[in-house]
Amino acid sequence: MCIVYLAAFLFSLTSEQCSSKLIEDSSQSFMERMHSGKTSFIYFGNHVNPTIKLFVEQLVMSADALQDYGISVVKVNCSKDAIANYCTGEKLMTRAYLFRGSEVLRSFDIDTVFDVNAIVSHVLFSVLFNEVRYVHTPAELLRVESTAKQNSDIVVGHIPVLGLPEHRALMEAAFVYGTKYQFVQTTGTLVLKHMGVVDPSSSQARLWFLHCKGVSRRSDPCPSTPMRKTLNTINIHTFLQLMEAPLVTESVLDPSEVDVVHMHLGVPVLYLFSQPQTQHLDRATAQTLALQLRGEVGVVLIHRDSPNVKAALKYNAAYRLPQEDVTYFTLNSAEGVVKLFKEELLQEHKLEDEEEDEEHWSDLDILDDEVSESVYRDRDLMLDLESVIELTSDTFQTTVTQNEITVVLFYFKWDAVCMAFIQSYIEVADALEGMNGVKLAAVNCGEWTDICSDQNVTSFPTVLIYRPMAEAQLYRGMLGTKCLHGFILLSLVSSPYLLSSSAEVMSFLEGDLYSKHMYLTPVRVLGLFSSTHDMGVTPFEEAARLLRGETILGLFAHKEAEQWVEGLSVNLPALLVSRGPGVPHEVYSLPSSSPTDLVSLIKQVELDRFPELTVENLPWYLELGKPLLLLFIGKEDSTESTKALAEIKRPLSSGQLDSFLPCWIHLGRTPVGRSILEKYLGFVPPLPVLVMSRLKTGEEVFLFPPERPLMAKNILQWIHDVQSGHEQPAVPGISHRLPLPCQSWHKVF
Ligand SMILES: *[C@@H]1O[C@H](CO)[C@@H](O)[C@H](O)[C@H]1NC(C)=O
Ligand SMILES: *[C@@H]1O[C@H](CO)[C@@H](O)[C@H](O)[C@H]1NC(C)=O
């Protein structure tokens, strides 16, 4: 996954596209595909006009999304490979086909599959043809119900306009839950009237759950519950979980102690107190109310005679809104309660919820297009976490205070990035298995919403590091096995490391202390103070704590510290940076500032002035926000490469390149560099090559003229020419629009 990050990042610098999952077939590969039996969505094109150009862009995005469902998206260019039957006729260019092997399941006018949502929803609907029933009239719906009775529950989606995000959300849900429920799609208004919708002309998408499985007699109708929220992925998922929850939960605990799934799903709970004498009646009331409030409010019947129940006798009911305390009240009639919820409590909450949902949806919307095997792989929603402890509301607090370090992943099962990351997370847990003081845990935020909101987790996936008596630390690194593993190992190093003699300082700087961490980072940063009473020591220690896992920091507060800056232009307090054994140390003066300012200062001095870019270190360098002066060198360490490196280094010391980030990529160690170069230039020229990518203007890339010798003075002249507008960008006029997958990686970062 690290690789994807680097690629996405560098591509986004030039607003180029991520490497796409869209396949281009030749006659040969098309023939092979026809024999493979696989499902493919294929567009046969020819020339490109503006409409087709837009369509192809959407095709690229849908290729990523449909990959999750095992469906390939393919383009055939008929002007290169004229495939019989499909590359001729007037329909050419305006139709796309869904194949299973050589059989056409369906063909679509490209006006129908106009964007990524439309492509995904239509293709999934066709693929799920036998699983999702399409009904047009109430009679057809009743036939589906009759087959399902005592067998399975039904999810009915009314989709007034096909191909919009609501349609896609329903189809994706059908893909995930299709083996559990019978899915039904309807478009007309006939079924709406049958379902009791007052204004069937409204163009809102809707969803109902028909409880057919539990009907006791086949002649009984299936009771139905409408979903009252906007039809999107997260709401459907929550709603289906609510439908699985028991209608009424009975308890002998005090309301504040009852734990029902509704609370974790952000839904209010109503508590009714029952007396032994009126138990039957109370149960019936609870049932009636629960039926009316199903999907919106959870109902709990509490046996008042239990000694655990502390409520004052004058109350016979209570409710609890998400994130709030229990409120007691006196119930006079069932209608009164329904009215209370529908007209007051839910109204307020609905508004809030809707706002929240919208936000959440926009995240999901982007991430849904993300590359991942997730939804497909986890169709049955089972995760095998083994070495990772799954936390619940009951176990969370105790677990995170028990270990020296508890790493907690907050995830959401419907989020493609989370599901892809979980694999890496498990690998890290396996690698650390048995190590003292470290434990990896996970919280499913779909189920334990309350924990996640208490911990202020709003984006997924999030990794927090907990230590006893300390604030949780956010893991800001990349979502890959190697990165997280390194971070955790470094987190175990005490920070700052307190040094007590010049000999220890030496062994710290040369990497003898923590030598087994050398492969994680050769860099050592040392704070030098003349005494432990220096005002700067405390903020430095705090900064060191904030940087645990990222940097190895030492502290030498001693009168001997003076020796380390002797003869240099810097006074104490100072920062000393060592980049590994044998590399000259760098010294910086240390201003008195807040811990967070110190953190950015330390991060900055830690960065190499002419770094080799790797997948791991890239984010820290990009944070500098400078234009890149990027040298690509080939696999072999040729003399040309060595010379080119030296030539760029020369103007560094005189500060002439300060407005840039001079850096290099070794294609042997970082193979993704080759594709980056291809994306930058459209081809891979003989190496080494130097390019400049200007972040400010976003999309321009300049290539140092290959015919000119790569020498310091030529490089400076070239930079001057670029800045004064005398050089042409290497790839003029590439699309400025970032494709969604890039943006989402960017965002996750
Ligand atoms: C097909 O190839 C031609 C020539 O290479 C190109 O101009 C055209 O844009 C391509 N068409 C599509 C749909 O990619
Ligand atoms: C969550 O944020 C609130 C408000 O910013 C803060 O008071 C609280 O301590 C935070 N909780 C955690 C666990 O960080």
Side-chain angles (χ1 to χ4, degrees), residues 45-46 48 75 77 79-80:
N46 198 344
V48 172
K75 185 176 82 168
N77 190 332
S79 59
K80 295 184 193 157

Side-chain angles (χ1 to χ4, degrees), residues 298-318:
V299 178
V300 178
L301 189 68
I302 294 190
H303 296 279
R304 152 144 267 163
D305 51 337
S306 152
N308 302 323
V309 181
K310 298 177 194 79
L313 276 171
K314 61 178 170 176
Y315 300 118
N316 61 3

Side-chain angles (χ1 to χ4, degrees), residues 394-629:
D394 291 337
T395 57
F396 183 82
Q397 273 312 330
T398 50
T399 309
V400 300
T401 48
Q402 241 166 34
N403 308 289
E404 191 181 332
I405 293 185
T406 312
V407 184
V408 183
L409 164 67
F410 295 87
Y411 69 97
F412 188 64
K413 272 185 181 160
W414 275 45
D415 183 304
V417 177
C418 289
M419 297 321 289
F421 177 56
I422 275 186
Q423 289 312 317
S424 312
Y425 194 72
I426 292 173
E427 279 169 39
V428 175
D430 289 343
L432 294 171
E433 185 101 74
M435 182 177 254
N436 271 343
V438 188
K439 199 72 216 167
L440 268 72
V443 175
N444 174 355
C445 292
E447 206 175 321
W448 304 100
T449 333
D450 52 341
I451 306 183
C452 305
S453 57
D454 287 351
Q455 299 301 311
N456 296 336
V457 172
T458 52
S459 71
F460 303 98
T462 289
V463 175
L464 293 177
I465 297 34
Y466 292 84
R467 296 177 171 85
M469 317 290 293
E471 255 180 70
Q473 183 190 3
L474 176 68
Y475 169 66
R476 294 179 296 168
M478 285 177 293
L479 300 174
T481 310
K482 204 172 146 204
C483 316
L484 180 62
H485 186 233
F487 180 89
I488 295 173
L489 291 179
L490 284 184
S491 294
L492 290 166
V493 169
S494 55
S495 188
Y497 191 87
L498 302 177
L499 301 161
S500 56
S501 68
S502 281
E504 266 187 32
V505 169
M506 183 53 100
S507 102
F508 174 82
L509 291 176
E510 292 295 307
D512 300 339
L513 274 175
Y514 304 129
S515 57
K516 64 173 195 285
H517 293 308
M518 211 64 188
Y519 75 99
L520 294 171
T521 167
V523 181
R524 302 283 180 271
V525 180
L526 175 64
L528 290 170
F529 297 87
S530 54
S531 106
T532 46
H533 302 299
D534 191 294
M535 298 290 280
V537 170
T538 312
F540 181 81
E541 285 176 329
E542 181 52 30
R545 272 190 284 278
L546 294 172
L547 284 166
R548 271 183 297 205
E550 295 174 17
T551 306
I552 297 185
L553 282 142
L555 170 63
F556 188 45
H558 196 278
K559 53 185 187 316
E560 276 177 34
E562 195 66 48
Q563 294 172 3
W564 289 89
V565 291
E566 229 165 48
L568 302 170
S569 55
V570 169
N571 293 323
L572 292 185
L575 267 188
L576 220 145
V577 182
S578 155
R579 302 195 187 281
V583 186
H585 305 152
E586 291 156 29
V587 185
Y588 304 85
S589 64
L590 192 58
S592 61
S593 32
S594 67
T596 43
D597 288 346
L598 283 178
V599 166
S600 1
L601 178 77
I602 293 168
K603 288 246 100 155
Q604 242 179 54
V605 301
E606 221 186 321
L607 300 177
D608 203 331
R609 300 189 51 208
F610 183 36
E612 174 182 356
L613 289 191
T614 61
V615 174
E616 289 81 12
N617 69 17
L618 182 76
W620 305 119
Y621 287 105
L622 288 180
E623 242 171 45
L624 298 175
K626 289 182 177 177
L628 303 183
L629 203 57

Side-chain angles (χ1 to χ4, degrees), residues 294-401:
R294 201 181 221 177
E296 293 180 285
V297 181
V299 178
V300 178
L301 189 68
I302 294 190
H303 296 279
R304 152 144 267 163
D305 51 337
S306 152
N308 302 323
V309 181
K310 298 177 194 79
L313 276 171
K314 61 178 170 176
Y315 300 118
N316 61 3
Y319 64 83
R320 185 174 191 173
L321 300 177
Q323 317 290 341
E324 286 181 22
D325 288 334
V326 178
T327 307
Y328 292 88
F329 68 103
T330 306
L331 163 83
N332 297 316
S333 70
E335 297 79 63
V337 177
V338 173
K339 212 167 149 203
L340 170 73
F341 273 97
K342 298 236 161 173
E343 288 175 13
E344 293 173 38
L345 303 175
L346 286 173
Q347 286 311 322
E348 277 171 41
H349 270 265
K350 210 166 236 166
L351 275 182
E352 277 175 28
D353 278 358
E354 268 162 20
E355 277 166 24
E356 243 175 54
D357 286 340
E358 251 160 54
E359 245 173 53
H360 210 140
W361 171 241
S362 61
D363 281 4
L364 280 176
D365 195 20
I366 292 170
L367 293 174
D368 269 349
D369 292 322
E370 198 43 72
V371 185
S372 98
E373 332 94 271
S374 66
V375 184
Y376 182 65
R377 193 182 54 214
D378 300 302
R379 244 192 112 153
D380 53 354
L381 292 178
M382 277 300 290
L383 267 187
D384 183 17
L385 290 175
E386 287 176 21
S387 41
V388 175
I389 323 171
E390 283 253 48
L391 299 180
T392 66
S393 297
D394 291 337
T395 57
F396 183 82
Q397 273 312 330
T398 50
T399 309
V400 300
T401 48

Side-chain angles (χ1 to χ4, degrees), residues 134-138 158-160 186-204 206 208:
Y134 182 80
V135 307
H136 190 60
T137 63
H158 174 259
I159 305 292
T186 175
T187 45
T189 53
L190 291 171
V191 171
L192 278 189
K193 277 193 210 136
H194 169 74
M195 298 303 297
V197 173
V198 185
D199 175 19
S201 65
S202 104
S203 63
Q204 206 191 338
R206 296 165 195 268
W208 291 268

